[in-house]
Amino acid sequence: MIMNHFLWLLSLVFPHLSSPVILLERSDGNLFHLNHLMKGDKLVLHRSKRDWMWRQFFLSEEYMGSNYQYVGKLRSDKDRGDGTARYILSGEGAGTVFRIDEKSGDLHATQRLDREEKASYTLQAQAFNKITGLPLEPATEFIVKIHDINDNEPKFTKAVYTASVPEMSDVGTFVIEVNATDADDATYGNSAKLVYSILQGQPYFSVEPETGIVRIALSNMDREVRNEYQVVIQAKDMAGQMGGLSGTTMVNVTLTDVNDSPPRFAYSSYHLSTYESAEIGSSVGRIKANDGDEGENAEMKYRIVDGDGKEYIDIITDEITQEGVIVVKKKLDYESKRVYTVKVEVTNTHQDPNFAVLGPFLDTAIVKVTAKDVDEPPVFSRPQFVFEVNEDTPKGIAIGTITAWDPDATHYPIKYAIDEHTDPERLYHIDPKNGSITIIKSLDREVSKWHNISVLASEMNNPHQRSRVPVLIKVLDVNDNAPEFAMIYETFVCENVRAGQHIQTISAIDTDDPLVGHKFVFSLSSMNPNFTVFDNEDNTARILTRRSGFNRREMSVYYLPVVISDSDYPIQSSTSTLTIRVCSCDATGNMRSCSVEALLLSAGLSTGALVAILLCILILLMIVVLFSALRKQRRKEPLIFSKEDVRDNVVSYNDEGGGEEDTQAFDIGTLRHPEVIESNKLRRDIIPEILFPYHRPSPMKECADVRDFIISRLQENDTDPSAPPYDSLATYAYEGNGSIAESLSSLESSVTEGDHEYDYLSNWGPQFKKLAEMYIGKDTGVAN
């Protein structure tokens, strides 16, 4: 039978395998796997395919031996043991981490392995024939798993944790949860099973061993006593047993504030002082209560609850410094009260009802404020004085008295005066000693109904201590003004008007102000045949015509005096004249034509307006004339613009002589005798400004001719240093010799006219015909 041919039964049991592998080898080399599969009482054998003798190996990590660590033996069922089989290894770590003996198939690990770095290696093994080089079997894959040992300590996710919890929390209150991890295999043994414990922080805190949750372990933990704690938590593997590895972390726990501390004053009473002149609202001092809480739990509010000085002293809360600021509520007076006492209460603004049992959350203290004396100015009996006076009150009458006193204990006498800036017209006078005000000028309510003056009061011994008070003086009305027309009326009446026709409505005004109002009465001063006045009894009146048939050619203007009276006492009346012009109108009463002045007035232009228009026109004309004169003056140019102007200048003398009888304007003897020229006469062709000393011309000999005189003068001017630095042209009226008419001058003529003959004028030609007729006719008449 086939069972007789079994050579041996080999059972290989590997202590690191989960189940043994039983191999059966037959004499012909076929291998069978013997599986524990039973059918009844018979053992069933299955024939296996030719395969390797292994599938999986286990290897311990962190091997400490000096030799290579043996992993296992590889053997193919084609290996007949004759040394012709050669084993080749490939895959992860082949040749570096793992090494195989080519002949025997023994597998070794050459390095120290760490499961936490790599938990398994996948390799391929194949057997070759050394002689042929052909593979004996296809490559087969197998796995080498690294067996875990407890070589890693637990590590927390954070080196330091930070947590906060309210103070005064109950026992068991959650604080924080810490977490640690272990790199060892959690599926094998207890290498990665952690247990938490507390090493530092007891008895205040505790930690749950399995979860790592930190909780409060002590009640009534007060932040004001201690606000920070450091807790050390340990995590240990191997379920906390001896020999397990451990790691630690630090937890910084901060107690947050709750309002569990009421405010408290450091002292039961406080003493402050200030001058009695301190302004209302000014600070006297500060007090502060202590509160161990912080933030909004330490916010406080101060108030005054009692005391004889609560009307004068107040307290406000400084929200930044949480101090109570004592301020002046009402003016202090050293002379009437020197010490002001108040009771101050302080409370928390944010109170927690959970801690009400720790209260009350308020405190009180006494604050005493001492007023210090200062030299104060005089004080008036009233903040302002109001007096009334009739406008017809005579001068020198007193209208009221101002009173003031020195509030200091010295009680110095007071001196009164009126501020001159408030009474520029000097209407009033005040007695410097008793303060009585009198009138020194007449008053007129129609000019000013109220007078607002200021009275100054100063100490006699210290004039710098001075106060002022407003004094209002109301001027009461007296009926001293007569009513008058409310406006200037421009009234006209048509030529074709009928009798009794209304032509104008008039009204009146009165600058007086009676208590019962105005009541005016209108009437005529005398009977008027042309017009009449009808009083409407409402402070107006109508002007009516008494006849018809007005003619502007006969009378163009009528003047109607109207008497206006008031009803006050004493009665005042005045007469106002109404000007009525006669104009031409159409059948409906519309004005068609009138005098020039009436037409203008009907267009709405009064006499005053016309005068104003004429004045404006006159002013405009004056401005135009002035502007023209200024422009003409600007157009005049100076004779010499500058010293650099070297252009030729022609000086023209347009002086016309007075004729033959004018012997002073021109004297031919002057030309012939130059030595008689006045030495102080300046040249007329230069600017009259003496830049050089006057050069007196040298005397000349008597010239036979004017030409010689001019030549000599030209030479003189060329050598004269005071002559202008430009050429000038001087023209002399020298006729010269050879004139047919000879000299026309009458200087050498005889005294009488009878010596002259004028017949030769008729020979001079038509140009002198008129002259010949005049003189020849004259001589003929004389002869006759």
Side-chain angles (χ1 to χ4, degrees):
M1 292 177 65
I2 215 166
M3 294 296 293
N4 294 332
H5 295 283
F6 284 131
L7 297 177
W8 49 272
L9 177 61
L10 178 63
S11 177
L12 298 175
V13 180
F14 297 94
H16 49 273
L17 293 177
S18 59
S19 62
V21 178
I22 303 176
L23 300 177
L24 299 178
E25 183 175 341
R26 214 169 58 178
S27 60
D28 59 0
N30 292 325
L31 295 177
F32 294 89
H33 293 272
L34 182 60
N35 297 326
H36 297 279
L37 300 176
M38 302 296 294
K39 289 184 180 180
D41 295 334
K42 295 182 181 181
L43 177 65
V44 180
L45 299 178
H46 297 277
R47 187 178 185 278
S48 176
K49 182 183 178 181
R50 292 180 182 273
D51 201 350
W52 291 93
M53 296 162 49
W54 38 264
R55 285 292 184 187
Q56 184 171 285
F57 294 99
F58 286 89
L59 184 65
S60 298
E61 65 171 337
E62 305 296 342
Y63 175 70
M64 303 298 292
S66 59
N67 299 325
Y68 292 156
Q69 185 178 6
Y70 180 74
V71 179
K73 186 177 182 65
L74 305 180
R75 182 185 177 191
S76 175
D77 56 358
K78 294 292 186 73
D79 186 0
R80 299 182 180 278
D82 57 359
T84 60
R86 177 171 174 262
Y87 295 94
I88 301 299
L89 184 67
S90 63
E92 295 180 341
T96 56
V97 179
F98 299 100
R99 181 178 179 184
I100 190 171
D101 190 326
E102 295 181 352
K103 294 181 180 180
S104 62
D106 292 335
L107 183 63
H108 293 81
T110 63
Q111 297 181 7
R112 182 179 176 182
L113 303 179
D114 189 355
R115 190 199 68 83
E116 286 70 37
E117 294 181 1
K118 192 171 182 61
S120 64
Y121 296 84
T122 302
L123 300 170
Q124 296 83 32
Q126 191 173 16
F128 292 87
N129 190 306
K130 287 184 179 181
I131 298 174
T132 63
L134 298 174
L136 298 178
E137 294 281 349
T140 303
E141 186 177 84
F142 66 95
I143 298 175
V144 177
K145 291 187 176 181
I146 309 302
H147 191 283
D148 182 48
I149 65 173
N150 188 20
D151 62 340
N152 290 281
E153 71 277 0
K155 292 185 178 180
F156 285 91
T157 56
K158 293 182 180 180
V160 178
Y161 289 85
T162 301
S164 61
V165 64
E167 63 174 330
M168 310 299 290
S169 297
D170 297 332
V171 175
T173 302
F174 175 84
V175 178
I176 195 173
E177 181 179 358
V178 296
N179 294 297
T181 59
D182 196 321
D184 292 328
D185 190 359
T187 63
Y188 177 77
N190 295 325
S191 298
K193 187 175 182 180
L194 305 181
V195 174
Y196 297 93
S197 61
I198 184 167
L199 300 182
Q200 178 182 324
Q202 295 176 334
Y204 308 105
F205 301 94
S206 64
V207 63
E208 294 181 358
E210 296 180 357
T211 61
I213 296 176
V214 181
R215 298 183 183 275
I216 295 291
L218 185 64
S219 61
N220 298 329
M221 296 177 65
D222 193 356
R223 186 198 65 84
E224 287 74 32
V225 177
R226 182 179 178 182
N227 62 343
E228 291 185 354
Y229 295 86
Q230 290 183 342
V231 182
V232 178
I233 305 298
Q234 174 185 264
K236 190 174 184 181
D237 59 12
M238 297 303 290
Q241 299 176 4
M242 294 292 294
L245 302 179
S246 64
T248 60
T249 186
M250 177 77 72
V251 181
N252 292 327
V253 181
T254 301
L255 296 182
T256 58
D257 184 55
V258 297
N259 194 4
D260 61 337
S261 297
R264 293 289 181 264
F265 284 111
Y267 306 98
S268 59
S269 64
Y270 295 84
H271 296 270
L272 304 173
S273 63
T274 185
Y275 288 101
E276 62 173 335
S277 60
E279 297 294 334
I280 296 177
S282 61
S283 175
V284 177
R286 291 173 177 254
I287 61 174
K288 185 176 182 181
N290 299 321
D291 193 328
D293 298 321
E294 62 181 6
E296 68 174 13
N297 295 323
E299 292 181 2
M300 296 173 285
K301 182 179 180 180
Y302 300 86
R303 68 189 185 100
I304 294 178
V305 295
D306 198 6
D308 57 6
K310 61 182 180 179
E311 295 182 2
Y312 299 87
I313 303 297
D314 198 3
I315 187 169
I316 58 177
T317 303
D318 189 334
E319 296 181 356
I320 298 177
T321 62
Q322 295 301 312
E323 293 177 319
V325 183
I326 306 296
V327 296
V328 177
K329 183 179 180 181
K330 186 178 179 181
K331 272 287 189 178
L332 307 181
D333 188 6
Y334 171 83
E335 286 71 26
S336 61
K337 191 176 183 63
R338 301 189 179 186
V339 178
Y340 300 83
T341 304
V342 292
K343 184 178 182 180
V344 178
E345 179 185 87
V346 60
T347 58
N348 281 129
T349 56
H350 302 281
Q351 297 186 16
D352 191 342
N354 296 324
F355 303 98
V357 295
L358 302 177
F361 283 81
L362 59 86
D363 196 12
T364 59
I366 301 299
V367 178
K368 295 182 178 181
V369 178
T370 302
K372 295 188 289 185
D373 186 29
V374 294
D375 189 6
E376 298 176 278
V379 177
F380 289 95
S381 59
R382 283 183 282 177
Q384 70 175 12
F385 293 84
V386 179
F387 301 123
E388 294 182 350
V389 59
N390 291 327
E391 61 178 325
D392 59 350
T393 302
K395 302 177 184 179
I397 299 299
I399 63 174
T401 302
I402 305 298
T403 56
W405 67 90
D406 183 8
D408 298 322
T410 54
H411 296 294
Y412 290 126
I414 304 301
K415 180 180 179 181
Y416 301 93
I418 295 178
D419 188 350
E420 296 179 355
H421 298 89
T422 61
D423 185 20
E425 298 178 1
R426 305 297 186 269
L427 300 176
Y428 303 98
H429 171 73
I430 189 170
D431 190 289
K433 295 183 179 180
N434 58 26
S436 62
I437 298 178
T438 56
I439 300 173
I440 58 176
K441 287 185 179 180
S442 299
L443 303 180
D444 188 356
R445 191 201 65 86
E446 286 69 37
V447 175
S448 179
K449 298 180 181 180
W450 285 89
H451 296 157
N452 186 1
I453 64 175
S454 294
V455 173
L456 306 177
S458 59
E459 296 179 4
M460 289 273 190
N461 294 3
N462 188 5
H464 296 288
Q465 292 296 335
R466 184 172 59 181
S467 301
R468 70 171 55 231
V469 66
V471 179
L472 306 179
I473 302 175
K474 182 179 181 180
V475 181
L476 301 178
D477 184 45
V478 175
N479 192 24
D480 58 348
N481 292 280
E484 58 186 11
F485 278 155
M487 59 182 293
I488 298 176
Y489 296 99
E490 301 296 339
T491 307
F492 69 92
V493 62
C494 297
E495 290 179 317
N496 57 355
V497 69
R498 298 186 306 272
Q501 186 170 344
H502 173 217
I503 63 173
Q504 182 71 56
T505 299
I506 59 176
S507 63
I509 58 174
D510 192 340
T511 55
D512 292 324
D513 188 13
L515 297 177
V516 295
H518 291 290
K519 178 61 178 176
F520 301 127
V521 177
F522 299 87
S523 62
L524 295 178
S525 61
S526 62
M527 180 63 67
N528 190 292
N530 302 310
F531 305 98
T532 185
V533 175
F534 182 79
D535 194 339
N536 296 326
E537 297 183 357
D538 59 353
N539 293 335
T540 63
R542 287 177 293 169
I543 305 298
L544 305 176
T545 59
R546 296 180 64 91
R547 67 178 181 87
S548 61
F550 289 93
N551 190 340
R552 57 176 173 171
R553 292 182 179 86
E554 296 177 358
M555 180 71 70
S556 61
V557 178
Y558 291 90
Y559 298 98
L560 181 64
V562 179
V563 178
I564 308 174
S565 304
D566 58 19
S567 59
D568 203 357
Y569 179 81
I571 295 177
Q572 299 288 338
S573 63
S574 67
T575 301
S576 299
T577 301
L578 182 65
T579 301
I580 304 174
R581 301 180 183 275
V582 181
C583 299
S584 175
C585 302
D586 57 16
T588 59
N590 295 322
M591 182 182 65
R592 288 187 306 179
S593 64
C594 203
S595 63
V596 176
E597 185 178 359
L599 289 175
L600 291 176
L601 293 175
S602 65
L605 295 176
S606 63
T607 305
L610 292 175
V611 173
I613 293 173
L614 292 176
L615 287 176
C616 291
I617 294 174
L618 181 61
I619 292 173
L620 288 175
L621 290 176
M622 293 178 63
I623 292 175
V624 171
V625 172
L626 180 61
F627 182 73
S628 300
L630 291 176
R631 287 179 58 87
K632 185 180 294 184
Q633 185 176 1
R634 287 182 180 179
R635 288 176 182 175
K636 292 183 179 180
E637 297 180 355
L639 184 62
I640 301 176
F641 289 91
S642 65
K643 294 182 179 180
E644 297 179 359
D645 192 353
V646 295
R647 295 175 298 176
D648 293 344
N649 290 271
V650 178
V651 181
S652 177
Y653 296 96
N654 294 323
D655 295 338
E656 184 177 353
E660 296 180 353
E661 297 179 358
D662 186 4
T663 58
Q664 294 182 355
F666 181 80
D667 188 2
I668 192 65
T670 305
L671 297 177
R672 297 188 180 277
H673 303 280
E675 63 274 5
V676 300
I677 297 177
E678 295 179 5
S679 60
N680 59 349
K681 185 174 293 185
L682 299 178
R683 295 179 55 172
R684 299 178 59 192
D685 58 342
I686 62 172
I687 297 176
E689 190 174 299
I690 301 177
L691 300 177
F692 301 96
Y694 178 77
H695 178 71
R696 180 183 297 274
S698 59
M700 291 182 55
K701 297 180 179 180
E702 183 177 355
C703 296
D705 197 348
V706 177
R707 181 184 294 105
D708 297 335
F709 166 76
I710 294 175
I711 292 174
S712 64
R713 277 286 179 257
L714 177 62
Q715 293 177 354
E716 245 180 42
N717 289 336
D718 291 340
T719 57
D720 187 1
S722 62
Y726 48 83
D727 295 339
S728 60
L729 178 62
T731 303
Y732 295 92
Y734 176 69
E735 188 174 334
N737 296 326
S739 175
I740 299 175
E742 296 181 353
S743 177
L744 297 179
S745 176
S746 61
L747 297 178
E748 297 179 356
S749 301
S750 60
V751 177
T752 62
E753 295 181 357
D755 297 338
H756 293 281
E757 295 288 342
Y758 301 104
D759 295 335
Y760 58 88
L761 294 177
S762 60
N763 298 328
W764 285 6
Q767 292 87 351
F768 297 93
K769 181 180 179 179
K770 185 68 176 177
L771 183 64
E773 293 177 354
M774 291 174 59
Y775 281 88
I776 294 175
K778 182 179 180 181
D779 292 342
T780 306
V782 173
N784 292 332

